[in-house]
Amino acid sequence: MLRISKENKAAILEQVRLGNIDAASLSVSGLVDDVIRAMKKNNILDCLLEGFEDKRADNTTVPFDIVLALAIAAKMRTNTSLSDIPFALTDHRTICELGYSMVDPDGLENGLMTEGTIRHMIGKYEPQELFTAYNKTVQQHIIPKQDIESNIHILDCTKLRVNLKNENYEGSGVFRDEEGTSRGYKLSTIRGIVGDSGIIEEIAFGPINVHDLTLSREMLLNTPVLKPGDILINDRGFLSRELINHLKRRRDVDTYIPLRKNMEAC
């Protein structure tokens, strides 16, 4: 691994001269590596550590922030298999900055972080715990530590479709719309506008067949990200005079429903 090569340069070169090293792997950097290094530099990985509870009672050889970084990298690379997580980062600069340098004396067949160990770790969490941990991480750690403040927020729901014939997706729903019959989930988000970018400030998650407003109601009524004087942009799927009046009385938040053509332009 990189750290071993750096700390034992003379020994490594000697092994090369003796012909004991068969090959060296090429390190290739990309956008995913840039994102992970930026997360490390801006202490986002530290925020994740504070927001997500490490429930591992044993097999803690790999630091939890590295497990989270690898999982994020695998997702950005659209590698959905748990077996892809340990190998999601290959760039030497990223590995060096994270300190991700493991040596397993038993060889690759008995790695320190295998699909089985990751699956066992995930099984320690209830689904809602993960969404609550995300909201906590963003609201209590990332936003204050990065000095982020948003006065304009966008409320929206996204359908996450999965294989209709596979009934093993826990908590999924079945829904029929203009695209046909679908199985999947629905993700409701409050996104804060920050400069020319933004941040997902809070999420709610449920089956795809739940109405947008039903899924989002409790989040809207209790979220700490909406402040007096803020603007909330939403589409007509959230139209509820009762809810709008409640938000205005309780938080003095203006709600704005743009025209559909303007929504599509955004």
Side-chain angles (χ1 to χ4, degrees):
M1 301 297 284
L2 182 65
R3 180 176 294 173
I4 296 174
S5 299
K6 181 179 180 182
E7 295 177 355
N8 301 278
K9 183 176 180 180
I12 295 297
L13 290 176
E14 179 62 22
Q15 294 300 314
V16 172
R17 295 189 189 99
L18 294 174
N20 294 330
I21 295 181
D22 296 325
S25 297
L26 178 64
S27 172
V28 180
S29 182
L31 177 61
V32 173
D33 298 285
D34 294 339
V35 171
I36 297 297
R37 288 200 299 272
M39 292 177 67
K40 177 68 174 178
K41 179 180 179 181
N42 292 284
N43 301 316
I44 301 300
L45 294 181
D46 292 336
C47 291
L48 291 174
L49 273 180
E50 296 180 61
F52 283 80
E53 178 186 359
D54 184 358
K55 290 191 173 186
R56 297 176 298 173
D58 50 20
N59 195 20
T60 57
T61 302
V62 183
F64 196 51
D65 60 331
I66 291 181
V67 176
L68 295 173
L70 289 169
I72 293 169
K75 182 63 177 177
M76 287 193 290
R77 296 187 192 280
T78 65
N79 295 333
T80 56
S81 173
L82 293 180
S83 59
D84 292 326
I85 289 178
F87 310 102
L89 293 173
T90 57
D91 177 58
H92 69 281
R93 292 173 299 175
T94 309
I95 292 173
C96 185
E97 289 189 33
L98 291 179
Y100 180 35
S101 182
M102 300 186 300
V103 176
D104 184 2
D106 296 326
L108 294 177
E109 295 300 322
N110 298 299
L112 296 174
M113 183 165 46
T114 63
E115 178 182 1
T117 59
I118 296 174
R119 189 177 299 279
H120 179 70
M121 183 188 73
I122 293 174
K124 292 178 177 289
Y125 299 87
E126 294 296 328
Q128 189 54 47
E129 285 185 276
L130 298 176
F131 300 115
T132 300
Y134 172 86
N135 293 334
K136 175 184 176 183
T137 300
V138 171
Q139 296 168 7
Q140 298 182 18
H141 301 290
I142 293 179
I143 288 178
K145 290 184 179 180
Q146 297 297 317
D147 194 25
I148 296 172
E149 183 176 0
S150 176
N151 304 113
I152 302 176
H153 314 267
I154 299 175
L155 173 65
D156 193 22
C157 278
T158 302
K159 297 183 181 69
L160 307 174
R161 291 179 166 85
V162 297
N163 188 343
L164 176 63
K165 297 180 180 180
N166 189 339
E167 299 180 356
N168 295 321
Y169 288 97
E170 295 183 35
S172 65
V174 177
F175 176 76
R176 182 173 180 81
D177 59 8
E178 63 276 4
E179 298 184 26
T181 303
S182 302
R183 178 185 299 279
Y185 305 92
K186 184 173 290 185
L187 184 69
S188 178
T189 61
I190 299 177
R191 308 179 187 220
I193 304 300
V194 182
D196 59 355
S197 184
I199 181 172
I200 298 181
E201 302 167 297
E202 187 160 344
I203 59 177
F205 191 79
I208 195 172
N209 54 316
V210 174
H211 191 276
D212 292 2
L213 183 58
T214 302
L215 178 62
S216 310
R217 184 183 296 275
E218 289 301 315
M219 177 176 68
L220 282 171
L221 294 178
N222 298 295
T223 180
V225 303
L226 294 178
K227 309 176 297 299
D230 282 3
I231 296 175
L232 178 65
I233 301 174
N234 53 274
D235 63 27
R236 285 170 285 195
F238 298 97
L239 187 59
S240 166
R241 176 55 59 187
E242 175 189 3
L243 183 60
I244 290 174
N245 289 340
H246 184 87
L247 288 173
K248 290 186 69 66
R249 287 196 307 268
R250 187 173 176 182
R251 300 178 182 272
D252 190 26
V253 174
D254 290 328
T255 61
Y256 172 63
I257 305 175
L259 296 176
R260 182 167 296 276
K261 63 180 180 179
N262 290 337
M263 287 288 291
E264 292 173 351
C266 294

